[in-house]
Amino acid sequence: MSQPDGQSNTLDNLLEENRTFPPTAEFAAEANATAELYDSAAEDRLGFWSQQARRLTWRTEWNQVLDWSNPPFAKWFVGGELNVAHNCVDRHVEAGNGDRVAIYWEGEPGDSRRITYSDLQREVSKTANALSELGVGSGDRVAIYLPMLPEAVFAMLACARLGALHSVVFGGFSSEALRNRINDAEATVVITCDGQFRRGQAMPLKANVDEAVAGTPSVEHVVVVRRTGTEVAWNPDRDTWWHELVDRQSEQHTPEAFDSEHPLFILYTSGTTGKPKGILHTSGGYLTQAAYTHSTVFDLKPESDVYWCTADIGWVTGHTYIVYGPLANGASQVIYEGTPNTPHQGRHWEIVQKYGVTLYYTAPTTIRTFMKWGSEIPARYDLSTLRVLGTVGEPINPEAWMWYREHIGGGTAPIVDTWWQTETGAIMISPLPGVTATKPGSAQRPVPGVSVGVVDENGNRVGNGEGGLLVLDKPWPSMLRGIWGDQQRFVDTYWSRFAEQGYYFAGDGAKYDNDGDIWLLGRVDDVMNVSGHRISTTEVESALVSHPSVAEAAVVGASDPTTGQGIVAFVIPRGDSAGETTMATLREHVSHEIGPIAKPRQIMVVSELPKTRSGKIMRRLLRDVAENREVGDVSTLADSSVMEQITAGMKSGSGDD
Ligand code: PRX
């Protein structure tokens, strides 16, 4: 409940949204998931997960679904054995689907590759044989520092096939970041490429690896994919070309079955402080939830759908919803190497048209960028094949949601707003497209089998119409199994806040609306406190974006002598917005949408917002600007010059009325 005295850490519920969009009768009639799924999961949760695990092919059946005797260390499908790569590749070939396209790969310069499941089986087998030759075996760690190339998928699956752990490091990270991650995991092999195409240019990549491995004692081999043909430095004792090593290997490789709890990968995610956390995921439970959610949330029909997730393979979305979920389900999918505006701003829609993409999954930040570029761009392409749209990574503002539905989804495609984290491994909260009457901006309900709560500071569930902290109150199959090399940090970071209740604390604020649907309100570290009201950044940003002249907005609380904090907003105007909107109009608009309490003290017009490479707004840096401090560490920004532009604008006073 809202406590103006600031005693409670819950959030005020300010923004109301009453539009709902039920699925059409035709969609519902054909949907993979029906309303019964919720009932069967509620009746017997573990029995339900046991059903879902049967989507996979197991070498040995489990004898216990869940062992939760030593929380927070869970074991799922205890005693079961499987090979993850066999599940993603070979079994589809064995089932007679070897000629089905697994990957439609589209390079940034316009080259393309079509890889069937039979091709994938050959490539993954050869890569596994190559890694074996380099001495990689079960339990070893392999660092993968590659852009969006098919070889990244082959390498990940080859590791899985051998029982080795991959640690994919996003190709946009620096050599320093790469070195820290290699050292933390003590990887013995690094897989990279000569260079990558970004915005029409060949950018070197191997040079970063050379710099990184100068300080990584564990690395014995560097395998290099040739992509751009750029000249590279070469250390013959350590470096091997992918095509020389892999092409001469046998196309046969017999996968071994591993324990359900055998580690599958490490993926580093930045913490609020200190060194990045190596989030550890294991095999059977992870793959079960990846396959189940990919099938039910996106309504995948493997025989007819063409799926496209635009995330980079270096993020968890790329792991679960490009590699493991879709391939376990035998999907055909597009993988695109480049940026959305190379060579033009319609590139994504051109690709949708070319391949007849039916399911499209992207981030709110990308949708708002498309809004900024203008709706006339997608209007030039045939997008009529699209039948489900997804979003992930941040709260999506209702207006961006409506724009997505109207201009990309033809006014009919259901939108699934999927909430999850690197740590949760797979989708946790999301509408089901054939069941849920969707609401713009709400992730709505946990998927069947998952249990969550919005609670107050004491761990008590808040009521409908109230805000609080999002917790996961029961273990789930794809949950992280710890932080690599630091299980105490795992316990402290996620399980200490509600230790008594045994809840996992996600770090996000959320609220229930009057129907009990969940709305995500951003990271709790970003909550603003204005005259004792706890206001979510998400709600004020959504109110701003609901004005026709605003494409994107970020708000922060800046200290204020009278109100504790005052709201400072940074807005990007919309490409197709007509005329000039005064700052006073926007302030009034927020006041009208939310209430006078949420009226920004100051509004700045900017051309870009500071974002991490995965598209999250770095409000910490905006707070520095708003409070006239020197701007802090910008090393994780996608474009570090953005902060200079914003600070320069702030000093000259532009945009503030
Ligand atoms: O704050 C939530 C936000 O992204 C965080 C997890 O980030 P990461 O581990 O990088 O994984 C992103 C891709 C799964 C969450 O704690 N977040 C993710 N999805 C949503 C979201 N916030 C609101 N709505 C979402 N759908």
Side-chain angles (χ1 to χ4, degrees), residues 16 23 40 77 133 143-144 166 191 222 315 330 392 421 494 534 550-551 567 575 597:
E16 273 212 39
S40 74
F77 309 114
E133 186 184 307
I144 300 176
H166 54 72
I191 304 177
V222 174
W315 310 121
V392 61
Q421 307 177 299
Y494 304 105
R534 289 177 187 273
V550 178
I567 301 177
I597 185 73

Side-chain angles (χ1 to χ4, degrees), residues 364 368 391 393-397 417 441 520-523 538 542 619:
R368 289 189 301 262
T391 78
E394 282 173 277
I396 178 161
N397 325 104
D417 173 358
L520 277 307
L521 298 176
R523 305 290 300 167
T538 301
S542 289
R619 292 188 184 71

Side-chain angles (χ1 to χ4, degrees), residues 267 269-270 279 315-318 321 361 364 391-396 416-427 429-430 441-443 470 504 506-509 519-524 538 612 614 616:
L267 182 57
T269 176
S270 44
I279 302 299
W315 310 121
V316 74
T317 308
Y321 296 106
Y361 191 28
T391 78
V392 61
E394 282 173 277
I396 178 161
V416 288
D417 173 358
T418 64
W419 179 90
W420 59 294
Q421 307 177 299
T422 304
E423 292 86 342
T424 70
I427 294 170
I429 308 177
S430 172
S442 174
L470 182 68
Y504 169 95
D508 282 355
W519 294 70
L520 277 307
L521 298 176
R523 305 290 300 167
V524 291
T538 301
T612 62
S614 65
K616 291 192 203 312

